[in-house]
């Protein structure tokens, strides 16, 4: 608890003092973040040797400060503290000489500390307060350049959507008290299964609680149709983008995984996660292909990745969702912090020749090769037809991604030697995927709900539809070079590059809300 509180304590430092001592203040903050990272590493070591920890720091009736530290908390604490240390160290030079550097560093510390507090929270009230604090401190960072109309509009749009998410969690607090009479996670998890077995009103209240939690998570993670704020926040400094896309945006997924013992018992909540997540992943992936800005393309990539993580949670693959969260966070932080070097990198890199549209037989061949690799290596790690529909669906999606990788390697040169290397790379990728999945399953076995819910015929139909949609996107990507020359392809490109105008609609609604608020003043 000391690490998060130390970073949040930077809130007490006046802006004038921080700005006047900008460079020295930034160095102090960077060293503080490194110290917090070292504490996170010690906490991880303690978790591996001493087991999970649930501590009541301060208790006053139903309100208290509780720490709930298990393997999930340890992984997330280490991840966020590492990202915070990297981003703060990067910011020391990035904003060197800026008269507002101190204020920026201050709010960056408070935001990181709020996320760390959220991770170790031991009760839903403390979790909600940290959730709101994260959003409000991020708002200060998004408003760092208030004279930029685009930055101001994006921050206001994010502010409205975040308040909807806060309302969902506030309502969840009320329903939680109605169901359990406590906000402590340990008490909630212990009582959830018994209340669900009772049926009747208890099961109905639990289902309503799960839906509220899922709604809050979807709003926090920029899921369709509340996604357009994320690509519009690109006018904020790069360190904010890195922390936001690599850490803060994952709060919705962490909420679902942390409260999986509650949510896993609600088919309605799981189906909502799967459907909204799958559609968001596919929708954002298509738009990402049409973006000409590196940062906007990365932003739509984040939306798609968050959608896929929600799909994983909706299918009950919570350990795989945590693996996805960790991998995506590290990749996206690196991508944003190096985005300024992309021009010089592209000049010195090898550029493949222009690819034609994929011949159907070549695409079928790469798909067959990917299927063989996935089935053979997956079988070695325990994948079978009895693994459950969710696991098989995710395996099918991985197979299609592997097919696209193999097709890219073949289409770039049409050399049999490169295709052979591609098969070796594909085999290595499949082995790493299934091995890491097994490792995270083992690590998180005591922290996460084991979920393989019974599926109705309708739900299996929905899962089949999701699989077909992913297949359609694979074909679209492979055939895009040929279709882009057609009239229909050019028209689709124009509309997709604008996000099908959902962002424009959201901007108008935001302007209308704030115009009315200004009018009342």
């Amino acid at each position: 608890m000391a690490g998060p509180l130390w970073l949040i304590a930077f809130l007490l430092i006046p802006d004038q003092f921080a700005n006047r001592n900008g460079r020295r203040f930034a160095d102090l903050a960077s060293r503080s973040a490194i110290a917090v990272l070292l504490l996170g590493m010690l906490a991880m070591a303690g978790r591996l040797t001493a087991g999970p920890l649930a501590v009541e720091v301060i208790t006053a009736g139903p309100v208290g400060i509780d720490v709930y530290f298990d393997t999930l908390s340890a992984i997330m604490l280490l991840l966020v503290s590492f990202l915070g240390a990297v981003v703060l160290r990067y910011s020391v030079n990035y904003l060197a000489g800026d008269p507002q550097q101190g204020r920026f560093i201050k709010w960056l510390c408070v935001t990181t500390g709020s996320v760390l507090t959220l991770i170790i929270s031991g009760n839903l009230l403390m979790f909600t307060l940290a959730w709101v604090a994260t959003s409000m401190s991020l708002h200060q960072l998004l408003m760092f350049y208030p004279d930029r109309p685009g930055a101001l509009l994006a921050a206001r749009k994010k502010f409205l959507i975040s308040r909807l998410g806060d309302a969902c969690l506030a309502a969840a607090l009320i329903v939680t008290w109605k169901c359990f009479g406590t906000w402590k996670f340990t008490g909630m998890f212990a009582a959830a299964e018994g209340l669900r077995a009772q049926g009747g009103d208890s099961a109905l209240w639990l289902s309503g609680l799960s839906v509220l939690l899922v709604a809050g998570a979807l709003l926090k993670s920029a899921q369709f149709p509340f996604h357009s704020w994320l690509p519009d926040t690109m006018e904020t400094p790069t360190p904010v983008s890195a922390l936001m896309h690599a850490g803060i945006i994952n709060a919705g997924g962490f909420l679902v995984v942390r409260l999986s013992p509650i949510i896993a018992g609600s088919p309605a909540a799981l189906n909502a996660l799967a459907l909204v997540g799958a559609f968001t992943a596919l929708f954002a992936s298509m738009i990402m292909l049409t973006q000409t800005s590196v940062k906007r393309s990365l932003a739509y990539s984040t939306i798609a990745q968050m959608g896929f993580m929600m799909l994983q949670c909706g299918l009950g693959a919570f350990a795989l969702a945590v693996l996805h969260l960790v991998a995506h966070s590290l990749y996206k932080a690196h991508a944003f912090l190096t985005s300024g070097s992309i021009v010089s990198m592209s000049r010195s890199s090898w550029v493949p020749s222009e690819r034609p549209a994929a011949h159907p037989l070549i695409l079928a061949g790469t798909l067959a090769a990917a299927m063989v690799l996935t089935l053979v290596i997956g079988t070695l790690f325990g994948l079978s037809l009895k693994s459950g529909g969710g696991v098989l669906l995710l395996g099918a999606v991985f197979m299609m991604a592997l097919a696209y990788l193999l097709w890219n390697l073949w289409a770039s040169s049409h050399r049999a030697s490169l295709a052979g290397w591609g098969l070796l790379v594909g085999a290595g990728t499949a082995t790493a995927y299934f091995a890491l999945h097994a490792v995270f399953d083992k690590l998180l076995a005591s922290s996460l709900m084991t979920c393989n819910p019974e599926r109705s015929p309708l739900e299996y139909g929905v899962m089949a539809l999701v699989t077909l949609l992913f297949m359609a996107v694979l074909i679209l990507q492979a055939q895009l070079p040929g279709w882009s020359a057609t009239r229909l392809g050019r028209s689709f490109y124009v509309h997709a590059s604008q996000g099908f105008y959902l962002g424009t609609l959201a901007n108008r609604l935001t302007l209308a809300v704030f115009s009315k608020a200004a009018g009342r003043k």
Side-chain angles (χ1 to χ4, degrees), residues 272-293:
L273 277 172
L275 287 173
V276 175
F279 183 83
T280 302
L282 296 170
F283 178 82
S285 296
M286 288 190 297
I287 297 178
M288 179 188 70
L289 297 174
T290 65
Q291 300 302 302
T292 56
S293 165

Side-chain angles (χ1 to χ4, degrees), residues 120-438:
I120 63 174
S121 295
N123 65 71
L124 189 58
L125 177 60
M126 181 178 169
F127 187 101
T128 302
L129 293 176
W131 176 283
V132 175
T134 300
S135 175
M136 299 304 291
S137 53
L138 176 62
H139 184 71
Q140 297 295 322
L141 294 171
L142 295 179
M143 296 281 288
F144 185 68
Y145 296 121
D147 55 327
R148 297 182 179 181
L152 184 63
L153 179 58
R156 287 177 170 178
K157 183 162 54 172
K158 163 68 168 62
F159 183 86
L160 292 178
I161 294 173
S162 294
R163 300 295 72 78
L164 290 176
D166 296 346
C168 290
L169 280 195
L173 282 172
I174 298 172
V175 178
T176 298
W177 189 262
K178 170 70 176 178
C179 289
F180 305 107
T182 181
W183 287 314
K184 296 182 186 298
F185 288 151
T186 51
M188 291 167 57
F189 298 160
E193 192 61 35
L195 288 177
R196 192 171 291 113
Q198 291 178 11
D201 291 342
S202 297
L204 188 62
W205 279 106
L206 279 177
S207 181
L209 172 60
S210 300
V211 171
L212 285 171
L213 293 172
V214 164
L218 293 174
L219 287 163
K220 188 73 168 182
S221 294
Q223 298 298 280
F224 182 91
F226 302 100
H227 63 280
S228 64
W229 65 268
L230 190 61
D232 291 346
T233 57
M234 293 300 103
E235 292 194 51
T236 193
T238 296
V240 180
S241 297
L243 185 63
M244 182 167 57
H245 287 257
I248 298 172
I249 199 70
N250 294 314
F254 178 73
L255 167 64
V256 174
V257 175
R258 165 55 72 211
L259 295 175
S260 57
I262 308 294
I263 296 173
S266 172
L270 292 177
N271 289 334
L273 277 172
L275 287 173
V276 175
F279 183 83
T280 302
L282 296 170
F283 178 82
S285 296
M286 288 190 297
I287 297 178
M288 179 188 70
L289 297 174
T290 65
Q291 300 302 302
T292 56
S293 165
V294 173
K295 284 190 174 183
R296 285 187 69 86
S297 180
L298 288 173
Y300 276 107
S301 168
T302 296
I303 296 170
Q305 295 289 345
M306 292 301 101
F308 193 70
M309 186 173 67
M310 292 300 174
L311 171 63
Q312 292 168 328
C313 291
L315 296 173
F318 296 112
L320 188 58
V322 176
L323 170 61
H324 188 169
L325 187 155
V326 172
H328 172 261
S329 294
L330 295 174
Y331 150 69
K332 198 54 63 76
H334 176 268
F336 269 102
L337 294 179
T338 58
S339 60
S341 307
I342 195 67
V343 175
S344 58
M345 289 170 60
S346 64
R347 287 174 179 171
S348 60
S349 62
W350 168 73
V351 179
S353 57
E354 185 177 350
R355 297 171 301 181
H359 190 281
L361 290 178
I362 295 177
L363 189 57
T366 56
L367 191 60
M371 183 182 300
V372 171
L373 287 174
T374 302
L375 290 177
V376 170
I377 297 175
T379 301
L380 296 176
F381 285 92
L383 181 69
S384 68
L385 294 177
K386 298 180 180 179
S387 300
V391 175
L392 294 178
L393 190 155
L394 294 173
V397 173
F398 173 78
M399 178 192 69
M400 286 181 266
L402 195 58
Y404 186 67
L405 170 66
L406 296 176
W407 175 76
N408 267 319
L409 288 172
W410 171 255
S412 62
S413 67
H414 295 285
R415 292 204 306 255
S417 59
L418 189 58
W421 280 109
L423 290 175
L424 290 177
V425 171
T429 302
T431 302
Y433 170 82
F434 287 108
L436 287 172
H437 189 188

Side-chain angles (χ1 to χ4, degrees), residues 90-147:
Y90 181 92
S91 301
V92 173
N93 294 325
Y94 181 84
L95 285 173
D98 192 298
Q100 295 294 315
Q101 182 184 23
R103 180 172 66 88
F104 177 84
I105 294 293
K106 164 186 167 179
W107 284 110
L108 203 59
C109 288
V110 174
T111 303
T112 305
S114 299
V115 177
L116 292 173
T117 303
L118 183 147
I119 288 169
I120 63 174
S121 295
N123 65 71
L124 189 58
L125 177 60
M126 181 178 169
F127 187 101
T128 302
L129 293 176
W131 176 283
V132 175
T134 300
S135 175
M136 299 304 291
S137 53
L138 176 62
H139 184 71
Q140 297 295 322
L141 294 171
L142 295 179
M143 296 281 288
F144 185 68
Y145 296 121
D147 55 327

Side-chain angles (χ1 to χ4, degrees), residues 44-98:
M44 170 65 90
R47 165 63 189 93
L48 295 176
T49 57
L53 181 69
V55 178
E56 296 180 358
V57 180
I58 299 175
T59 301
V63 180
I65 298 177
D66 302 313
V67 173
Y68 186 70
F69 194 77
D70 58 357
T71 305
L72 174 62
S73 303
I75 291 173
M76 293 299 299
L77 184 71
L78 191 60
L79 173 68
V80 174
S81 58
F82 172 73
L83 293 174
V86 171
V87 170
L88 277 163
R89 185 67 191 91
Y90 181 92
S91 301
V92 173
N93 294 325
Y94 181 84
L95 285 173
D98 192 298

